[in-house]
C-alpha cells in the first residue's frame, strides 16, 4: 500500500518513513506543502499522513483541497497542535484521524492500519485469485493455505497486480505504483 507523508521536520519524516517502510509500506515523502500538492496530483495514494504547519501550502489547505476534489483517501493529521478546537475543526474539514506530537510509532502504526482497514468501501482487505490469498492488513500471502515469504517489493508488486485483475500495466505504471518517488527507473 502506498502512503504519502507530508512533513517538513526532516527527523520526524525520516523516522516515520523508515518505520513504515520496515512494515512493508511504500512511502513517498514531501518536505513542504507545495511538494505535497504536486505529489497528490502525480499519484494515487492509499493513505495520507499530513502535518498542519507546513511551508508553502498549509496542511489545512491541503486537506480542504483533497476533500473538495472528492477524494476519499484516508487522511491522518500528525501535528504539534493539540487544542481541541484544532482537532474538531480538522475532523469537520474531513480528517479521518488526528495524532499529536510527540507520539509513539506503535500508536501511529496501529492508526495507519486501522485507517487502511476502513479505507474506501470498494477495497477488500483480503484479495483472492484462485488458490492465492493476499491479506493487505497482515501483508501475508498464502497459496493453497501455505504461507509464501516475499520481499517488500515483491509483495507490493503482487498486491498491485492482484488488486487490478484483467488490467494491462505499462512499465511506467508499475514503477510509479510500486516504487517510491526516489526510484530512478531504467
Amino acid at each position: 500500500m502506498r502512503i504519502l507523508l507530508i512533513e517538513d521536520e526532516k527527523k520526524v519524516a525520516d523516522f516515520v518513513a523508515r518505520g513504515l517502510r520496515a512494515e512493508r509500506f511504500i512511502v513517498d515523502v514531501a518536505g513542504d506543502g507545495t511538494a505535497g500538492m504536486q505529489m497528490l496530483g502525480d499519484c494515487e495514494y492509499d493513505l495520507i499522513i499530513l502535518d498542519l504547519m507546513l511551508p508553502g501550502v498549509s496542511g489545512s489547505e491541503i486537506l480542504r483541497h483533497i476533500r473538495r476534489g472528492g477524494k476519499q483517501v484516508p487522511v491522518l493529521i500528525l501535528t504539534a497542535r493539540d487544542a481541541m478546537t484544532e482537532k474538531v475543526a480538522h475532523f469537520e474539514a474531513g480528517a479521518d484521524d488526528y495524532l499529536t506530537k510527540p507520539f509513539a510509532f506503535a500508536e501511529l502504526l496501529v492508526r495507519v492500519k486501522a485507517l487502511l482497514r476502513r479505507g474506501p468501501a470498494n477495497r477488500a482487505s483480503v484479495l483472492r485469485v484462485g488458490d492465492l490469498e493476499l491479506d493487505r492488513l497482515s501483508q501475508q500471502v498464502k497459496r493453497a493455505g501455505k504461507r509464501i515469504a516475499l520481499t517488500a517489493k515483491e509483495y507490493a508488486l503482487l498486491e498491485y497486480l492482484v488488486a487490478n485483475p484483467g488490467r494491462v500495466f505499462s512499465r511506467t505504471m508499475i514503477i510509479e505504483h510500486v516504487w517510491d518517488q526516489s526510484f530512478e527507473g531504467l
Side-chain angles (χ1 to χ4, degrees):
M1 293 192 167
R2 192 175 193 120
I3 297 173
L4 175 59
L5 171 61
I6 307 175
E7 169 63 63
D8 65 323
E9 292 180 52
K10 184 158 177 38
K11 285 183 180 180
V12 173
D14 290 345
F15 168 72
V16 170
R18 190 172 44 255
L20 291 172
R21 287 177 182 135
E23 293 292 324
R24 302 176 81 172
F25 292 103
I26 311 307
V27 182
D28 293 335
V29 180
D32 61 59
T34 306
M37 290 288 282
Q38 176 67 42
M39 292 170 84
L40 279 168
D42 292 344
C43 187
E44 290 293 319
Y45 291 96
D46 298 299
L47 175 77
I48 298 166
I49 300 174
L50 179 63
D51 185 15
L52 294 177
M53 297 181 284
L54 297 166
V57 181
S58 76
S60 300
E61 291 175 61
I62 293 171
L63 178 61
R64 283 191 296 275
H65 170 78
I66 291 167
R67 295 306 182 225
R68 270 194 315 264
K71 291 185 180 181
Q72 295 303 309
V73 62
V75 177
L76 184 144
I77 302 293
L78 183 64
T79 184
R81 294 182 181 173
D82 62 356
M84 185 56 64
T85 55
E86 287 281 341
K87 291 178 184 180
V88 170
H90 286 93
F91 276 119
E92 287 177 345
D96 296 284
D97 201 353
Y98 197 104
L99 183 61
T100 56
K101 299 173 188 173
F103 61 94
F105 181 77
E107 182 179 4
L108 174 71
L109 183 60
V110 297
R111 288 172 182 256
V112 164
K113 287 181 177 180
L115 289 170
L116 291 170
R117 189 168 45 245
R118 281 183 258 166
N122 63 348
R123 289 187 60 105
S125 63
V126 177
L127 303 174
R128 290 181 179 84
V129 176
D131 65 350
L132 181 74
E133 182 179 291
L134 186 141
D135 186 327
R136 289 175 149 172
L137 299 178
S138 67
Q139 296 186 334
Q140 291 187 2
V141 177
K142 294 179 183 175
R143 178 136 204 184
K146 186 176 179 182
R147 190 166 186 272
I148 301 171
L150 298 175
T151 66
K153 291 298 177 211
E154 290 168 341
Y155 173 83
L157 178 59
L158 182 62
E159 178 190 29
Y160 187 47
L161 296 173
V162 171
N164 297 282
R167 192 166 165 204
V168 177
F169 298 99
S170 69
R171 179 179 174 167
T172 302
M173 290 167 70
I174 291 171
I175 288 171
E176 286 178 353
H177 190 84
V178 176
W179 278 267
D180 61 23
Q181 292 289 332
S182 63
F183 177 75
E184 293 184 18
L186 303 174

